[in-house]
Amino acid sequence: MSGFALRFLGHSTVRLELGGRVVLTDPVLTARAGGLVRVVPVPPPESYAGVDLVLLSHLHGDHLHLPSLRLLGRRTRIVVPRGAGRWLAGKGFERVEEIAPGETLTDGDLTVTATEAVHSGHRWGPRLTHGPQSPAIGHLLESDEGKVYHAGDTDLFDGMCDLGPVDVALLPVWGWGPNLGPGHLDPVRAARAAGIVGARAAVPVHWGTLALPGLRRTARMRRLLADPPRVFAAEVKAAGIATEVLFTEPGADVVLPAPTDHA
């Protein structure tokens, strides 16, 4: 397979075709993720078929989702933050690798470098102290076709200015609840991140997909399921940031800008 393509499958799950490889980020592919329900259609199996590499940014259940990983098969190559490999391998997955910020791995013509992220790395979030823990990370994916920054869950951090420029940044703009806890980008900070990493284009992710069952139909939650990427686009424009916002509904292909010369 050749070519550069993206499909936003919802929440932080993106199918990326780059460097002759198919990559899936933080796959959540089912109608539920723990106590959260999916408010958009479940991705069809063909949307996550043929995956060569799975990149997991951290251990939270809406990013490292065991039922979704099982749909991909126990022999799929899965890359986790350093320190989480033994735990995930203990769940029956046979090709688990670890990576820490600054470390790089390759798969064919694709290079993946782990980046810093400012976010709780504990499996159960910042409040509970039992269970596995490893630092949250992001990823830089590079080939001759382009350079993509997958932020994972993070707030702004000093080293973000060293990551760019990038062709596409996958930037979280909200979450799944009525409020954001620490270690997240909201639309305003995500717009700043787009400028900091020198993103030629940005895909807003981490919105419009998961919700708490009891809140999903409230007026506030309906707005929060729809508005964050639009606010993000408006903030990018208002700040004069030279980033094209590639607004994409969950489940749709991303319409990428014309390619640039990476020779």
Side-chain angles (χ1 to χ4, degrees):
M1 175 179 292
S2 63
F4 182 2
L6 291 169
R7 187 173 187 183
F8 177 41
L9 300 184
H11 203 53
S12 285
T13 309
V14 175
R15 178 189 174 101
L16 169 66
E17 299 176 22
L18 183 66
R21 292 294 186 265
V22 177
V23 180
L24 210 59
T25 64
D26 290 344
V28 175
L29 307 169
T30 60
R32 286 184 169 270
L36 304 174
V37 295
R38 193 179 191 95
V39 298
V40 293
V42 172
E46 59 267 24
S47 69
Y48 51 85
V51 170
D52 298 299
L53 188 66
V54 174
L55 300 179
L56 299 179
S57 63
H58 61 294
L59 304 186
H60 293 175
D62 60 324
H63 292 259
L64 193 165
H65 185 238
L66 293 171
S68 294
L69 294 178
R70 293 184 182 115
L71 288 176
L72 301 173
R74 295 182 184 273
R75 288 199 52 75
T76 301
R77 188 181 184 192
I78 303 173
V79 180
V80 298
R82 186 161 299 284
R86 177 180 291 183
W87 176 80
L88 186 58
K91 302 297 182 181
F93 296 95
E94 300 174 16
R95 300 179 64 199
V96 181
E97 300 173 45
E98 297 183 336
I99 194 169
E103 295 179 345
T104 296
L105 60 84
T106 59
D107 195 325
D109 294 331
L110 178 67
T111 299
V112 179
T113 302
T115 73
E116 180 184 356
V118 178
H119 190 74
S120 167
H122 198 280
R123 173 67 173 168
W124 307 114
R127 297 179 181 87
L128 302 179
T129 57
H130 67 282
Q133 183 169 8
S134 64
I137 60 174
H139 305 93
L140 279 177
L141 301 93
E142 299 178 75
S143 80
D144 290 341
E145 297 160 339
K147 182 176 181 180
V148 177
Y149 172 46
H150 165 235
D153 273 3
T154 188
D155 205 338
L156 300 171
F157 56 90
D158 291 342
M160 194 174 274
C161 61
D162 299 322
L163 302 180
V166 300
D167 294 291
V168 179
L170 310 176
L171 296 175
V173 297
W174 198 251
W176 46 258
N179 301 291
L180 282 178
H184 290 93
L185 294 174
D186 62 12
V188 175
R189 294 200 299 278
R192 289 178 57 194
I196 291 169
V197 302
R200 181 172 178 238
V203 179
V205 301
H206 211 258
W207 68 277
T209 306
L210 301 174
L212 291 164
L215 295 178
R216 59 182 293 188
R217 292 184 176 87
T218 65
R220 173 171 167 77
M221 199 65 228
R222 288 199 302 269
R223 291 194 301 271
L224 289 173
L225 287 167
D227 288 352
R230 296 166 174 86
V231 177
F232 167 67
E235 290 289 336
V236 168
K237 182 177 180 179
I241 297 168
T243 297
E244 180 178 354
V245 176
L246 306 178
F247 175 78
T248 307
E249 295 284 357
D253 291 333
V254 179
V255 179
L256 293 169
T260 56
D261 184 5
H262 290 273

